[in-house]
Amino acid sequence: MPYFITEDCIGCTACAKTCPVLAITGAAKERHVVNIRRCVSCGVCGRVCPKNAVLDGHGNPCQSVPRPKWKKPVVDTARCSACGICVTWCRAEALRISFPTFRGDIHVFAELYQPNKCVGCSLCEENCPLGAIRMAEVIA
Amino acid sequence: MKTPTYALIDLNTRASSRYEIPESLYRRYIGGKTLGARLLYDLTPAGVDPLGQDAVVIVNTSPATGTGAPCSSRFNMTFKNVLTGGIASSNCGGQFGVLMKRAGYDGIILKGQSETPCVISIVDGRIEITDADELWGKDTEETQHAFPKIYGKLVIGPAGEHLVRYAAAVSGERVAGRCGAGAVLGAKKIKAIVAYGTKRPEIHDREKFAKYVDKWVRFLRGHPMTGESLPTYGSAGLVSKANATNALPTHNFKYGHFKDAHAVSGETLADKYLLRNSSCISCPIRCERRVEVDGKDVKGPEYETCGFFGPNIDAVSMENMIRLNYLCDSYGMDTISLASTLAFAMELKENGVADFGVSFGNSDNLADIVGKIARREGVYSDLANGSKWMSERYGGKEYAMHSKGLEMASYEPRRSVGMGLGYATSNRGGCHLNGGYLALLESVGVLSMDALSTSAKPAFTAFFQNALEAISAAGFCLFSAQSFVPAVLFKIGPHHPVTRAIGKIATHLGFGVRALLWMMPVLRFNSVFLFPHAEALRLVTGLPFYTGSFVRLGERGYNMERFYNYREGLTKADDSLPDRLTQTPQDPNNPKTVVRLDKMLPVYYRIRGWDKDGTPEKRTLRKLGVQA
Amino acid sequence: MKTIRYYAPIRGIVKKESEETELGSVKDVLDYIKQAYGKDAFAAAKSALIVVNDVSIGLYQGKKTPLADGDTIGFLPVSGGG
């Protein structure tokens, strides 16, 4: 169910910048709009909105969540086949396939190489066909 | 039952509309090239110009595309073959197919021609056609960069714009290479097709499917071919294998062995130039090469490119080959047809017939010339038409190495006669894959049938043509079929008495395979060892696909393509090979090193249920449910 | 003088890319590998694609294939492609 942005929106553009599927449009200082055909209900916009102006698919207002508390993907490197599906879903480019550790190394896997860019959308976990990714809170 | 969603796009009016695929069509043809062949037959009259106003291009996916199944990124382009006038199906592992499906469409049908260069956008279920004047003239890399990174793209380069007959279409790092896929888009002035959306694919039994994917991926990763060899060497690993059995085309297919093959082999590529391997989306095999040349990290060459920019033109520079591979991707051109045409031009020069400034053993000047061909500059416009056209203009038909007009792949069929039969009967022309890829069982694989014996080859060819067709129709990469060769054979090796015995037995198993083909419908089981694709297709669609009905799907598609060819006027005479392969033994001391097409073709026709002219008989079409 | 060339995976076991030899046949070289490098090396060598001057011994006389002066015997990885 697609999310919705209310008139409380102040047009700070934080949601548009973090939406993993570019589903939010709007000019600075103007109310933003969610593309209902594209929204994947990941909840990132809700977590990032400073004004609680986002309603989830059921109409409940979303609570903002501080960045350090956003979940991040943990890859089970033994299960991961490096098929790249998670990488192509990750608009933040936080994930990549690891580089070989020696010449001829073919046992590479998905890795969170830019954890600071991750917005915690869970699209990687959702779309991994082998269930090799689990979103988890990072205990600093 | 949910049938696939297709859109009909009219380039003249720039309007699009829903196109219904009736359930009866879907159940019989499923998707990809098989459904594509049916649609092309139904939507076009006979005799259209492949590059003309009435030509239709179908870009479609299959039920498995984008589901997360291994090797399932593939999408298909079906169109009238620019080089042969028959059917063309060009397959590609790039992201476009997956993203077009996410955008809400399983396939698009392109009709008419745009007056000015355009881009087709398929985004969130909506289709829009906009002008693209500023992109026209740009190479494929620049064109792809003009769109958001997350979009799926299918673009052409200068070669497609100039209607080079073997121009290709590029999607990400992969290519829909053959038959002029780029030219048919260029003729419609389509510079790019882009797609984005977030729709998930339909899967009939999600839980069982997820479990099967898990099982299949583990099987692939544990197999010596798909889990070790292909990720380590890529397809380039084949150079030394083909050379070892004298099946590596050298000097425009004059010879089958190249003494400097080592310099351009997969082992050398891995040792000296490889940075890492990479993959199409959704693939655990990861056979793509990433290599370094001129300080850049670029996609590395596949086996065919290694063979054709190496031994077939007597060249030994791996660096030139990597550069030329990159250039061909940039211009959007098929490396096989291009390099084979270059080899033909080199032989014309050798024989004093014509001089195009290219000669055997020299790959240093080719980068320049490839650019001229892409832009059809001056006399190089001739080379842009392919070796068949050139041989009709300049002579040399005996050594124009094509079948039906499509240049043959890098397997010397005089040392792999089943492959020779495959080249001659392949629906899209001299293709090793559409031809059944018997080279894997006669020459380059761990298991070797007698490469020169003709007895079982017609039956094996028909069986594998059907099987590979079905795998492609379901949306899978053919490399996923490499795991059907039992892993144990790799452990004991090609020279072990058991491996040799199996090869000998297979050589005489013609009637066994014939019986198998006849009793196909009875095989109501699925095995991860033979066709895991059938089980995956069954779980995705909910349709009863088992080994038998799966291969039958392939047989149906193969006959549909053949029937299209027949309607377009291709006859038995087109199931041919150049004289060099049928008249001149590769080894002057061994008269058996020729392709006895004359012996194999009649047997093949009988097995296929075609008459003596190679036309599918009515009862065969009825049995398969292929109506005229 | 003849040359032995090692590729993966046997290269990783014998830890050499090549060496010279005066042995006279493929079988002799295999026996030498067993004796000099052990069982694992021998197993890897036996199951490799064995070529003499880049041509499979299957097209010659198999393990009985003789080696003449200047010949190279190679142990290639077994693989396939497309």
Side-chain angles (χ1 to χ4, degrees), chain B residues 225 229-230 233 238 241 243-244 257 262 271 303-304 411 432 437 444 479 482 491-495, chain C residues 7-8 11 46-51 53-59 63 76-82:
Chain B
M225 264 308 292
S229 210
L230 281 172
Y233 297 106
L238 274 176
K241 314 302 166 295
N243 204 32
H257 188 90
H262 180 65
D271 274 345
Y303 166 62
E304 301 293 333
Y411 302 92
H432 55 305
Y437 201 39
V444 298
F479 271 4
Q482 293 264 355
K491 289 202 172 54
I492 60 180
H495 309 295
Chain C
Y7 296 88
R11 187 190 280 188
K46 265 201 316 177
S47 63
L49 171 61
I50 307 173
V51 294
N53 299 331
D54 289 335
V55 178
S56 167
I57 60 172
L59 289 184
K63 306 213 166 89
L76 289 167
V78 185
S79 80

Side-chain angles (χ1 to χ4, degrees), chain B residues 203-278:
Chain B
I203 300 177
H204 178 75
D205 190 335
R206 279 192 184 268
E207 218 187 289
K208 284 216 181 87
F209 180 73
K211 283 206 178 83
Y212 198 72
V213 165
D214 199 72
K215 173 177 171 175
W216 189 4
V217 170
R218 262 187 277 126
F219 178 66
L220 286 170
R221 293 182 85 197
H223 189 279
M225 264 308 292
T226 53
E228 282 168 41
S229 210
L230 281 172
T232 307
Y233 297 106
S235 65
L238 274 176
V239 173
S240 43
K241 314 302 166 295
N243 204 32
T245 49
N246 292 332
L248 182 64
T250 300
H251 201 97
N252 195 31
F253 281 81
K254 204 166 185 183
Y255 313 111
H257 188 90
F258 188 54
K259 65 174 177 54
D260 295 315
H262 180 65
V264 292
S265 70
E267 290 82 26
T268 302
L269 185 69
D271 274 345
K272 297 212 170 78
Y273 301 93
L274 190 70
L275 294 171
R276 60 187 187 285
N277 65 337
S278 179

Side-chain angles (χ1 to χ4, degrees), chain A residues 3-59:
Chain A
Y3 278 42
F4 179 79
I5 297 172
T6 71
E7 58 280 358
D8 290 339
C9 169
I10 58 169
C12 72
T13 74
C15 57
K17 291 204 175 88
T18 48
C19 172
V21 293
L22 292 176
I24 302 180
T25 47
K29 298 217 171 87
E30 284 176 27
R31 181 170 169 195
H32 280 39
V33 179
V34 174
N35 175 347
I36 59 171
R37 282 166 169 261
R38 198 186 279 193
C39 172
V40 293
S41 309
C42 65
V44 171
C45 51
R47 287 192 280 279
V48 94
C49 176
K51 291 291 169 190
N52 296 350
V54 180
L55 303 180
D56 72 14
H58 303 286

Side-chain angles (χ1 to χ4, degrees), chain B residues 113-135:
Chain B
Q113 283 177 338
S114 172
E115 247 195 82
T116 53
C118 66
V119 171
I120 304 176
S121 298
I122 308 170
V123 173
D124 299 323
R126 291 203 178 91
I127 297 177
E128 228 191 308
I129 301 168
T130 50
D131 284 327
D133 291 302
E134 73 291 356
L135 288 177

